[in-house]
Amino acid sequence: MRITTIMRPNIVSQAGVSTRLNQWWENIPFLTSAVVVVCGIIYVVCLLVGYDSFTEVCFLPSAVISRFQVYRIYTSIIFHSSLLHVFFNMTALIPMGSELERIMGSVRLLYVTILLATSNAILHVLIALLVAHNPIHPYENLMYECAIGFSGVLFSMIVIETSLSGVQSRSVFGLFNVPAKWYAFLLLIVFQLLMQNVSLLGHLCGILSGFAYTHGLFNFLIPRTSFYSSIESSSWLSSCVRRPKFIVCTGGNPSGYIPTRTSENSTSSGILPGNIWRNLSSLMPQRQVSARPNEDSRFPGRGRTLGASQGQMASHLHSDSNVHARLLDNSSPNHPLDSSTLSTNRQLSGGRHSADNVPTATAVVPPPQGAIASEEGIKKLVSMGFDRTQVEVALAAAEGDVNVAVEILMSQQD
């Protein structure tokens, strides 16, 4: 007896090209995709209007020094000379920029990109001046070379990404492996040999800036996490922060992934960079940030163990709700929280507080700060564009933690 079966097509394999491209594009973080769009639009506009000289926007050391045209530092990185130029640069940016943005956050990566572009230009000018005025064999051509393209910043990102990955060796186009510290220099030589009109000095300065960043030479220029958080919590950026592709700098400890200050508690005078960033961030509405020692800053939020039984999950939810009810009942000044309730709540909230600060069983402590939704926290979230009723519910569910409330509100919008 023959049995006829009907094979259903695989929805994933039958997905159209447009669907696959849309899924691929949605996986690219906010800033990386924005840079790709901006560079692409600028090239198309230049192509349509017939603008191809680039002498007014390229990085020209002589013009920067003699006419102080500092704008060239930033216009030169978003203009490209040909279709292949912009295509190769953007296809190289997407994987590296996406990885760095997921680690740093969108606002932090924007600041780092501007910092790298600026340092690249400064090194470019200094080296061109030294070569042009050296007493042995002056060479002034570097002062009049017109450089454009995002590749200088890309070489800096290559150095940073290689340092963050922690690998000892990297593959060059799948042909052979080289030590990781020499990877960027080898790419510089290969591109110089295989391509024409490539800016050797521009790429070299990108590599030098990347090494300076990874070795902490720019630490005095890197603001603290509260500076980025204050920018993200500002009302003028709320529409961008609510987008699913935007990566928020959550305030976790990033010292394992990017260079930071060696001493966060060191005192400084009013003219030092530490106070400068603190004063700048104080001009913006700041977000309350709770330290989470056990949380990886690259993957914020609470996690569950895979394979847990439904009974265990139900018991955890039941006990969590009981603790929340006791917290609400005991939140008045006449009914302070006992230590057992506070300790249980800390265990259920994923280790949000340090274990060294847990009181003994006989101690009586006041309710933790931020356990109740404050009017200030409600106003901050409402200023970000969320509905007040949803904000109050989210803050109550997050025990007054503004960061957790933002995660809840954004997950509801998704």
Side-chain angles (χ1 to χ4, degrees):
M1 180 178 179
R2 174 177 292 180
I3 300 177
T4 304
T5 60
I6 300 176
M7 302 296 294
R8 295 182 179 181
N10 190 335
I11 297 177
V12 177
S13 61
Q14 295 296 327
V17 176
S18 60
T19 303
R20 293 176 182 270
L21 287 176
N22 184 59
Q23 293 176 348
W24 171 76
W25 180 254
E26 290 299 324
N27 289 328
I28 303 175
F30 179 80
L31 179 65
T32 304
S33 59
V35 173
V36 173
V37 170
V38 169
C39 292
I41 291 177
I42 289 177
Y43 175 75
V44 171
V45 171
C46 292
L47 192 64
L48 293 177
V49 300
Y51 181 76
D52 57 357
S53 62
F54 303 111
T55 54
E56 294 85 3
V57 296
C58 68
F59 185 77
L60 189 62
S62 60
V64 174
I65 296 174
S66 61
R67 296 190 291 271
F68 201 66
Q69 295 178 349
V70 185
Y71 69 89
R72 292 176 178 269
I73 297 175
Y74 308 106
T75 57
S76 62
I77 65 176
I78 57 177
F79 281 82
H80 294 80
S81 60
S82 66
L83 179 61
L84 288 178
H85 189 195
V86 67
F87 175 77
F88 283 129
N89 279 357
M90 295 303 102
T91 51
L93 170 66
I94 288 174
M96 280 189 301
S98 299
E99 178 68 18
L100 292 176
E101 187 170 354
R102 292 187 182 101
I103 295 175
M104 298 181 180
S106 299
V107 175
R108 190 196 300 268
L109 181 61
L110 175 62
Y111 176 82
V112 170
T113 302
I114 296 174
L115 175 63
L116 293 174
T118 306
S119 60
N120 291 354
I122 294 174
L123 289 174
H124 195 136
V125 171
L126 290 177
I127 295 176
L129 284 173
L130 289 175
V131 174
H133 296 89
N134 75 88
I136 300 175
H137 182 69
Y139 184 77
E140 297 184 355
N141 289 356
L142 294 179
M143 295 292 297
Y144 302 97
E145 284 187 355
C146 192
I148 59 172
F150 203 79
S151 54
V153 178
L154 285 177
F155 269 89
S156 298
M157 289 185 173
I158 289 174
V159 176
I160 297 173
E161 194 272 335
T162 302
S163 176
L164 296 180
S165 64
V167 296
Q168 299 299 321
S169 62
R170 302 205 69 165
S171 175
V172 180
F173 304 117
L175 301 177
F176 54 91
N177 292 336
V178 296
K181 61 181 179 180
W182 301 112
Y183 177 68
F185 290 103
L186 187 62
L187 288 181
L188 173 68
I189 297 174
V190 170
F191 289 146
Q192 199 67 30
L193 294 176
L194 297 181
M195 299 182 181
Q196 297 179 349
N197 297 327
V198 176
S199 176
L200 173 63
L201 184 56
H203 293 171
L204 177 61
C205 291
I207 295 175
L208 296 178
S209 294
F211 277 110
Y213 181 86
T214 56
H215 285 77
L217 299 182
F218 295 156
N219 279 6
F220 70 99
L221 296 173
I222 300 176
R224 293 180 174 85
T225 306
S226 59
F227 177 77
Y228 307 112
S229 298
S230 63
I231 295 177
E232 293 166 349
S233 61
S234 59
S235 57
W236 55 271
L237 200 63
S238 59
S239 59
C240 296
V241 174
R242 292 201 302 269
R243 293 182 178 273
K245 299 173 65 171
F246 192 94
I247 309 297
V248 178
C249 180
T250 58
N253 181 14
S255 59
Y257 310 105
I258 58 176
T260 55
R261 298 177 179 270
T262 56
S263 177
E264 292 290 338
N265 299 322
S266 59
T267 59
S268 58
S269 62
I271 62 174
L272 292 182
N275 272 0
I276 293 176
W277 297 124
R278 193 179 304 111
N279 295 335
L280 287 176
S281 61
S282 65
L283 299 177
M284 307 176 187
Q286 294 191 3
R287 171 187 304 173
Q288 296 177 359
V289 179
S290 60
R292 302 182 182 181
N294 297 330
E295 179 182 306
D296 192 335
S297 61
R298 293 177 295 179
F299 306 100
R302 303 179 184 178
R304 292 191 179 95
T305 305
L306 296 177
S309 62
Q310 295 182 355
Q312 292 176 341
M313 293 178 63
S315 63
H316 280 294
L317 292 175
H318 179 68
S319 59
D320 195 11
S321 62
N322 290 339
V323 172
H324 290 170
R326 295 173 63 186
L327 284 172
L328 293 176
D329 293 338
N330 298 330
S331 58
S332 63
N334 297 329
H335 298 86
L337 295 177
D338 57 58
S339 60
S340 59
T341 303
L342 182 59
S343 177
T344 306
N345 181 54
R346 285 173 174 170
Q347 293 175 2
L348 291 174
S349 60
R352 193 175 303 160
H353 302 276
S354 173
D356 296 334
N357 296 326
V358 177
T360 59
T362 58
V364 178
V365 295
Q369 188 176 11
I372 303 174
S374 63
E375 185 65 25
E376 182 182 0
I378 294 175
K379 289 181 180 179
K380 287 181 180 180
L381 294 181
V382 171
S383 65
M384 294 173 63
F386 297 112
D387 181 71
R388 183 180 180 88
T389 303
Q390 295 179 353
V391 167
E392 293 176 351
V393 174
L395 280 172
E399 306 168 31
D401 192 320
V402 180
N403 288 337
V404 178
V406 171
E407 295 178 6
I408 294 174
L409 291 170
M410 295 182 68
S411 64
Q412 290 177 351
Q413 292 184 357
D414 294 342

